Amino acid sequence: MSTALARDAAAAQRGALLADALAGLSAPRKTLPCKWLYDAEGARLFEAITRLPEYYPTRTEMQILAESGAEMSRAIGPDAAVVEFGPGDGVKAVQLLRALERPVAYLPVDIAPEWLEAAAARVAAAFPGLPVRPVVADFTRAFALAGRAEGSATHLGFFPGSTIGNFTPEEAVTFLRRARASLGEGALMLLGADLVKEKSVLEAAYDDAAGVTAAFNLNLLARLNREAGADFALDGFRHRAVWNPAAERVEMHLASRRAQSVRLGGRVFRFAAGETIHTENSHKYRPERLRELAAAGGWREKAMWTDAAGLFSVWLLAA
Ligand code: AVJ
């Protein structure tokens, strides 16, 4: 991407960050959208999370992709164009593309151009002849895939990592509907979803002993200071991760250690001691709930794979 385009994209992102922060901190229960956790520092910290002993999702999903890749490939068929939502570092895409028969293109979709470039570069290096077409778009909103890959038998959506869990179930249905519409006729979707399990395992995965997840969560405030001119005292908040059994989700919060006020965008936001900013939901699914969700989004189950311990699931859905 040219530097001018990158600069425009960065300015637009800062504007959107400020608008979201003003709206979220004005709400009766303060909240910030979790997509803003991923600036360069957040991405680096998330990468470190995926290697923590407590954080089982990444390695479990990679293991499922490795062990069942051949079966997935047979179910998907040849000549697929892979459209990945939130590609991260592109490692999972490489794993998937290796398993597929004659993939025809790779289209990573993300709001952060710098992330797209990392994923695109990794995939291009691993598959020199493969057309790689990054799409800068916020897939949490309505988006279009301008000019779908030509000559492909199938557009295969790829949404790994249980990122679907960061949506509320209603938002997840909306995302699935939109993805179905943009992927078009005969589309498939390979979807990773974390499964409901014991509270202690879930809470440890989001509140690790080394404090990496705490640093990841607190970086959101540091980012608001850096990019939106806020004046959060970083030692004034602490990380909390709690399993909400009614909503079947792990919630991340930043809890104010004391009564304090924070300036942002010309406004002052007051915090009571113990008051929290809700920064992320990570919904966990039971297979029957996931099936319902997929159906509401216009998809039916073709196959499902899980690990021996039943920690994580990978679904092949058909439009
Ligand atoms: C973005 C879905 C992969 O919710 O598990 C990890 C983000 N947050 N630890 C998740 C996250 C805290 C993660 N995913």
Side-chain angles (χ1 to χ4, degrees):
M1 183 178 302
S2 81
T3 48
L5 276 180
R7 214 178 318 106
D8 289 353
Q13 264 206 67
R14 274 198 304 279
L17 169 66
L18 178 61
D20 278 0
L22 289 173
L25 295 177
S26 304
R29 300 175 72 174
K30 294 184 175 65
T31 178
L32 293 169
C34 67
K35 66 184 175 194
W36 299 115
L37 289 163
Y38 302 89
D39 64 347
E41 177 65 1
R44 188 189 70 74
L45 287 165
F46 176 67
E47 234 283 295
I49 288 173
T50 65
R51 286 183 266 107
L52 291 169
E54 296 97 331
Y55 194 76
Y56 60 86
T58 309
R59 62 172 169 275
T60 308
E61 184 178 48
M62 278 298 276
Q63 184 201 325
I64 297 169
L65 290 175
E67 280 173 4
S68 305
E71 218 177 292
M72 290 175 187
S73 175
R74 277 195 296 280
I76 291 163
D79 304 315
V82 176
V83 179
E84 183 173 16
F85 303 103
D89 55 15
V91 168
K92 287 174 189 167
V94 168
Q95 174 94 350
L96 172 63
L97 287 161
R98 267 196 216 300
L100 292 180
E101 195 183 331
R102 294 196 314 263
V104 297
Y106 174 61
L107 293 81
V109 183
D110 207 292
I111 34 170
E114 62 278 14
W115 268 100
L116 277 176
E117 260 152 58
R122 188 185 292 266
V123 169
F127 304 92
L130 184 77
V132 173
R133 301 225 317 263
V135 180
V136 181
D138 181 352
F139 63 79
T140 70
R141 296 167 182 262
F143 61 91
L145 285 178
R148 307 181 330 126
E150 313 82 32
S152 59
T154 317
H155 277 75
L156 172 68
F158 184 38
F159 198 33
S162 202
T163 305
I164 188 103
N166 295 147
F167 291 131
T168 63
E170 298 70 36
E171 289 165 347
V173 168
T174 301
F175 165 79
L176 288 168
R177 285 201 166 286
R178 283 179 184 152
R180 186 182 186 279
S182 47
L183 293 169
E185 230 24 65
L188 296 173
M189 170 84 91
L190 195 64
L191 174 75
D194 197 10
L195 299 172
V196 172
K197 61 186 61 65
E198 236 175 285
K199 167 188 161 92
S200 59
V201 176
L202 287 165
E203 289 188 344
Y206 291 84
D207 194 4
D208 60 281
V212 182
T213 309
F216 172 67
N217 198 6
L218 283 158
N219 175 58
L220 186 50
L221 302 184
R223 180 179 193 181
L224 285 168
N225 288 352
R226 284 192 295 269
E227 292 181 35
D231 69 348
F232 281 98
L234 300 182
D235 62 359
F237 291 82
R238 70 181 183 86
H239 168 69
R240 283 184 54 205
V242 285
W243 171 243
N244 175 335
E248 297 197 320
R249 67 192 189 200
V250 178
E251 298 180 3
M252 287 206 315
H253 292 261
L254 290 164
S256 180
R257 292 179 188 270
R258 51 179 184 265
Q260 59 184 316
S261 44
V262 173
R263 286 170 192 286
L264 170 72
R267 294 183 44 196
V268 176
F269 296 94
R270 286 176 216 294
F271 289 83
E275 184 178 0
T276 77
I277 309 173
H278 185 176
T279 53
E280 186 189 64
N281 287 317
S282 216
H283 289 82
K284 308 303 169 186
Y285 283 100
R286 298 170 192 279
E288 57 276 19
R289 267 296 282 144
L290 202 286
R291 239 171 246 124
E292 282 173 21
L293 199 83
W299 299 86
R300 66 189 158 74
E301 174 186 7
K302 276 197 81 168
M304 191 267 256
W305 296 270
T306 184
D307 54 296
L311 294 174
F312 200 92
S313 59
V314 177
W315 298 72
L316 181 63
L317 306 174

